[in-house]
């Protein structure tokens, strides 16, 4: 088996990470309202499947959704510095909660920071 981030971290850890993240998002006053209340399960599944694929696991996300097109899919939402920072704060707390190993946390955190900044589509002011 090829040694990938996915094989080192595992699907179960990514599933727990995404669940911990969405527990926080549901209660968050800034990010929570961006999500359709009837689609929390779908949002959680899509992020989990995306992360699994992105880090070397099965390509369920691609089979179901095609190319991620993250900016296009997030275009309807105002994502500025505050939204980016909150997303990163909630994901960082989720990473700590599930105990992402110290040797993997910088890679995962760096990826999240890059993607969160890429999602910005609104300048404050």
């Amino acid at each position: 088996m090829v040694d990938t981030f996915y094989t080192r971290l595992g699907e179960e850890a990514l599933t727990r990470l995404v669940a911990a993240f969405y527990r926080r998002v549901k209660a968050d006053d800034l990010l929570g309202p961006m999500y359709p209340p009837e689609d929390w399960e779908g949002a959680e599944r899509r992020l989990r499947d995306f992360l699994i694929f992105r880090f070397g696991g099965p390509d369920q996300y691609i089979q179901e959704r095609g190319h991620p097109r993250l900016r296009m899919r997030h275009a309807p939402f105002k994502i500025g510095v505050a939204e980016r920072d909150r997303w990163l704060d909630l994901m960082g707390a989720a990473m700590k909660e599930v105990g992402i190993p110290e040797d993997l946390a910088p890679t995962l955190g760096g990826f999240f920071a890059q993607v969160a900044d890429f999602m910005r589509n609104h300048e404050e002011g």
Side-chain angles (χ1 to χ4, degrees):
M1 179 179 282
V2 176
D3 185 29
T4 64
F5 191 88
Y6 173 77
T7 60
R8 294 179 68 208
L9 188 58
E11 185 169 329
E12 193 268 332
L14 288 170
T15 299
R16 286 187 300 112
L17 173 65
V18 171
F21 171 72
Y22 275 107
R23 276 195 306 277
R24 288 165 170 79
V25 172
K26 284 179 187 176
D28 188 77
D29 63 333
L30 183 62
L31 300 183
M34 292 183 182
Y35 291 82
E38 71 282 355
D39 193 35
W40 286 109
E41 273 186 36
E44 192 169 322
R45 184 184 69 254
R46 288 185 297 273
L47 179 57
R48 183 195 66 231
D49 289 351
F50 171 73
L51 292 176
I52 288 169
F53 163 71
R54 175 58 181 81
F55 288 108
D59 67 349
Q60 178 87 13
Y61 181 90
I62 298 300
Q63 290 180 31
E64 290 181 6
R65 312 243 324 146
H67 187 282
R69 296 188 281 260
L70 295 177
R71 281 186 63 96
M72 180 197 77
R73 294 182 199 270
H74 290 80
F77 308 101
K78 179 191 139 231
I79 303 172
V81 172
E83 291 80 10
R84 177 204 61 196
D85 290 352
R86 182 74 55 88
W87 196 97
L88 289 171
D89 287 345
L90 298 180
M91 187 55 83
M95 287 174 60
K96 286 180 183 152
E97 176 187 321
V98 302
I100 299 298
E102 286 184 29
D103 63 322
L104 301 179
T107 299
L108 194 56
F111 170 75
F112 288 142
Q114 182 181 30
V115 171
D117 202 48
F118 178 70
M119 290 299 151
R120 285 183 48 213
N121 59 19
H122 178 79
E123 294 298 324
E124 269 58 38

